[in-house]
Amino acid sequence: MKTQKKRSDCPVSFSLEAFGDKWSLLIVRDLMLKKKCTYGELAKSDEKIATNILAARLLSLEENGIIKKLEHPDSKAKVLYQLTQKGMDLIPIIVEINLWAEKYTDIPEKRKELLAQMNADKEGFIKNAFKELESNL
Amino acid sequence: MKTQKKRSDCPVSFSLEAFGDKWSLLIVRDLMLKKKCTYGELAKSDEKIATNILAARLLSLEENGIIKKLEHPDSKAKVLYQLTQKGMDLIPIIVEINLWAEKYTDIPEKRKELLAQMNADKEGFIKNAFKELESNL
DNA sequence: ATATTTACTTGCAAAAAGCAAGTTATTTTA
DNA sequence: TAAAATAACTTGCTTTTTGCAAGTAAATAT
């Protein structure tokens, strides 16, 4: 686990040091909501992350204990990326970010069902997401 | 309000474009939890943000409709920075970020009372924070 | 055996962050 | 009321990070 000089002892600052950039939470989103789990799949995100940046962010997320690398069951050429418990605990944050965005921008069709679930039963959505992710552990 | 080329139509990406960096949410935190409201007060944060970066982030937050500048009642030399409704709607995200951090790092004494409130009654804490901030609008 | 896939790495240019010092418009103080 | 201090930035410059395009090595498919 990475040890960096903390900017302050504020919990918000601590969190932002782990995932406060333009890419980390998108990777977490893909692992969480989009069931992507390999480098190649993550590289194909709509936001078109550069491969060197993806590699750097994956390393940083791993050093921060948010994701872990595993052997892929299908092939030795592949790597399986998974959220750790610490990573799964980001679900409530991702949910709130989605709900905030919903208030201030148009949500694409393909995402509306998920948003509807979050709105209808936030706690239930979070519990269910946990359950699904934990089945992979 | 700023219009930038969106990286994608994902709501998480939209949100990160507005506040997905190492500083924006710290400024929001100060406006929200620490009752700071002037440039000088914001500049004195524990994280020691450089003044040019602070100016840049304040402009960006303003362009994104998250904060607004007002005349300071005490002096024409001062500027009053305030969260907009859109900015106040970030409270649930800040709360979840605090709760996540609490699980994975030590919380400083001065912050424990706030965390205790968030844990005891998350909804109540958020409602109360809204109420306090709205009294300034 | 050769081509393809997968997960990266490398080199370089462009953008952003960070530091120190400077500027302008108020206010306060002597 | 002139000088000093405060407040909110800005400027110039260096360092770090991002981003693009291309390249590499191991494993797999053809």
Side-chain angles (χ1 to χ4, degrees):
Chain A
M1 188 109 45
K2 203 190 206 167
T3 310
Q4 45 191 128
K5 59 278 157 242
K6 287 177 102 175
R7 290 188 299 182
S8 77
D9 60 359
C10 166
V12 178
S13 179
F14 167 82
S15 300
L16 294 181
E17 277 166 25
F19 58 76
D21 65 87
K22 292 251 184 280
W23 292 110
S24 293
L25 285 184
L26 293 180
I27 294 171
V28 171
R29 168 206 65 186
D30 285 346
L31 293 171
M32 187 177 288
L33 305 176
K34 298 202 171 176
K35 325 280 184 211
K36 296 184 178 186
C37 60
T38 65
Y39 187 94
E41 287 171 334
L42 293 168
K44 279 185 211 112
S45 75
D46 287 348
E47 294 86 10
K48 309 223 180 305
I49 186 170
T51 61
N52 56 338
I53 307 294
L54 175 57
R57 294 274 79 89
L58 287 171
L59 181 61
S60 149
L61 287 169
E62 196 187 358
E63 288 174 332
N64 279 292
I66 290 169
I67 63 172
K68 61 188 163 188
K69 292 170 73 166
L70 299 170
E71 288 179 12
H72 198 288
D74 293 356
S75 151
K76 263 187 273 186
K78 292 185 183 177
V79 173
L80 194 84
Y81 284 100
Q82 255 186 18
L83 292 174
T84 59
Q85 181 66 47
K86 190 174 179 181
M88 294 192 293
D89 284 332
L90 293 170
I91 295 176
I93 296 174
I94 298 275
V95 167
E96 293 300 344
I97 289 175
N98 270 282
L99 293 174
W100 184 80
E102 188 189 27
K103 250 188 119 162
Y104 296 104
T105 194
D106 291 327
I107 302 297
E109 274 307 322
K110 56 189 170 189
R111 208 57 169 285
K112 282 187 178 166
E113 168 58 18
L114 223 51
L115 255 307
Q117 285 175 244
M118 292 180 194
N119 276 306
D121 178 15
K122 197 196 290 184
E123 290 307 309
F125 177 88
I126 292 171
K127 274 205 185 98
N128 190 53
F130 264 106
K131 201 160 44 176
E132 282 184 34
L133 288 168
E134 272 163 357
S135 67
N136 301 323
L137 291 187
Chain B
M1 191 106 46
K2 205 193 212 163
T3 310
Q4 45 191 129
K5 58 279 155 239
K6 287 176 103 176
R7 289 186 300 180
S8 77
D9 60 359
C10 166
V12 178
S13 179
F14 167 83
S15 300
L16 293 180
E17 277 166 24
F19 57 75
D21 64 87
K22 290 252 186 278
W23 292 111
S24 293
L25 284 184
L26 293 181
I27 294 170
V28 171
R29 168 206 64 185
D30 285 346
L31 294 170
M32 188 177 286
L33 304 177
K34 297 203 171 175
K35 325 280 184 212
K36 296 184 177 185
C37 59
T38 64
Y39 187 93
E41 287 172 333
L42 292 167
K44 280 184 212 112
S45 74
D46 287 347
E47 293 86 11
K48 307 222 181 304
I49 186 170
T51 61
N52 56 339
I53 307 293
L54 175 58
R57 294 273 80 87
L58 286 171
L59 180 62
S60 150
L61 286 169
E62 195 187 359
E63 288 175 333
N64 280 291
I66 290 170
I67 64 171
K68 61 189 164 188
K69 293 170 72 167
L70 298 171
E71 289 179 11
H72 199 288
D74 293 356
S75 151
K76 263 187 274 185
K78 292 185 183 178
V79 174
L80 194 85
Y81 285 99
Q82 256 186 16
L83 291 174
T84 60
Q85 181 65 47
K86 190 175 178 181
M88 294 191 291
D89 284 332
L90 294 171
I91 296 176
I93 296 174
I94 299 275
V95 168
E96 293 299 345
I97 288 175
N98 271 282
L99 294 174
W100 183 82
E102 188 189 26
K103 251 188 117 162
Y104 296 104
T105 194
D106 290 327
I107 302 298
E109 274 307 320
K110 56 190 172 191
R111 208 56 169 287
K112 283 188 177 167
E113 168 58 19
L114 223 52
L115 256 305
Q117 286 176 243
M118 292 179 193
N119 275 307
D121 178 15
K122 196 197 290 183
E123 290 308 308
F125 177 88
I126 291 171
K127 274 204 183 98
N128 192 52
F130 263 106
K131 199 158 49 179
E132 283 184 33
L133 288 167
E134 271 163 358
S135 68
N136 301 323
L137 291 187

